Amino acid sequence: MRLVIARCSVDYAGRLTAHLPSAPRLILVKADGSVSIHADDRAYKPLNWMSPPCTLKEGTGDEAGVWTVVNKAGEKLIITMEEILHDSSHELGVDPGLIKDGVEAHLQELLADRIETLGAGYTLIRREYPTAIGPVDILCRDAEGKTVAVEIKRRGEIDGVEQLTRYLELLNRDPRLAPVRGVFAAQEIKPQARVLATDRGIGCQVLDYDALRGIEDDKLRLF
C-alpha cells in the first residue's frame, strides 16, 4: 500500500463531473489497484475513489505532478499535486480476512444448509468461496443456473454492501461464473444499506435466525 499526503486538487470525469479544490489530503494506492482520496474526517469514507481494475499514470515533463487514474469504463480521476508532504509504501501481505462473530458464522452455516431460503431451486456451490481479497460467504446458483454471491451480516450496513460489491467485481471477471449477481443477507438491514444495494443491483434478504434453526414462532399461538 502506498500512502501519500499532499496538497492537491482532484477532478473526476465520467458519468458526471466533480471537483475537489486544493487542500491537504491523504491518497491511498492499494495493491488491488484502487485509488482513494481522504480528508481528515468522514471516518472511513473517501472523498473520491476509483475501484479496481484501474490504471494509475504519473505524469512527467510538463505533466509532472499530475496523476491520472482510469478504470475499465474510461472514467478518469485526475489528481493534481501541488506539494507532497509524505510518500511511503508498505507491504501488508495477504490479509487473513474478517473473523466473523458466532452469530454470523452460524447464520452462514444455517443458510448454506437451507439455501432454498433464498428461493426455490437454489443450489449451493460452496461456503467461503476464495477470492484474491477474501472469501465470499456463500456462492450458489439460482433456479436458472446463474451464479449468486451472498454476503452475510448480523447487522447489514453500508460497509457490507461495499464489501459485496468488491467481491462481485472480481467474480464477474471469471468466465466460468459470470454473470454473478449479489444478495446481501442479514438479520437486520439498515435503510441506507438497502438503498445502496438496490442502486447497485444487489438483492436484499432479511434472515430469521430462529426460523433457520427450525424454531417456530409461538407468539401468535393461543395454546
Side-chain angles (χ1 to χ4, degrees), residues 88-199:
S88 65
S89 297
H90 307 269
E91 180 59 54
L92 302 185
V94 179
D95 191 88
L98 179 69
I99 299 175
K100 294 181 175 291
D101 65 25
V103 173
E104 287 187 6
H106 199 202
L107 279 171
Q108 183 193 115
E109 180 181 352
L110 289 169
L111 186 58
D113 287 342
R114 298 165 176 79
I115 199 67
E116 68 280 357
T117 301
L118 298 176
Y122 273 67
T123 56
L124 178 69
I125 296 176
R126 67 167 289 178
R127 292 170 52 197
E128 300 289 327
Y129 187 88
T131 76
I133 57 173
V136 178
D137 287 338
I138 289 178
L139 198 69
C140 57
R141 296 193 187 279
D142 62 18
E144 297 177 355
K146 295 181 179 179
T147 312
V148 181
V150 185
E151 178 63 25
I152 299 171
K153 299 292 184 186
R154 182 172 60 84
R155 177 178 296 174
E157 302 190 54
I158 284 178
D159 57 348
V161 178
E162 295 285 6
Q163 183 180 357
L164 179 54
T165 300
R166 293 192 292 271
Y167 288 146
L168 290 171
E169 288 177 352
L170 282 178
L171 293 170
N172 273 299
R173 298 182 206 171
D174 188 338
R176 299 170 301 173
L177 301 175
V180 185
R181 64 181 179 87
V183 171
F184 188 50
Q187 287 181 280
E188 173 192 2
I189 299 177
K190 295 294 185 180
Q192 300 93 331
R194 187 180 291 275
V195 169
L196 181 61
T198 301
D199 182 67

Side-chain angles (χ1 to χ4, degrees), residues 190-212:
K190 295 294 185 180
Q192 300 93 331
R194 187 180 291 275
V195 169
L196 181 61
T198 301
D199 182 67
R200 295 183 177 180
I202 294 172
C204 292
Q205 178 83 31
V206 175
L207 299 176
D208 186 325
Y209 187 51
D210 287 339
L212 286 172

Side-chain angles (χ1 to χ4, degrees), residues 34-45:
S34 63
V35 178
S36 56
I37 297 96
H38 299 259
D40 200 13
D41 60 5
R42 299 164 63 92
Y44 63 88
K45 187 175 182 181

Side-chain angles (χ1 to χ4, degrees), residues 32-35 50-56 69-72 75 173:
D32 65 1
S34 63
V35 178
M50 194 70 81
S51 299
C54 57
T55 57
L56 167 61
V69 187
V70 183
N71 67 11
K72 62 182 180 181
E75 298 168 314
R173 298 182 206 171

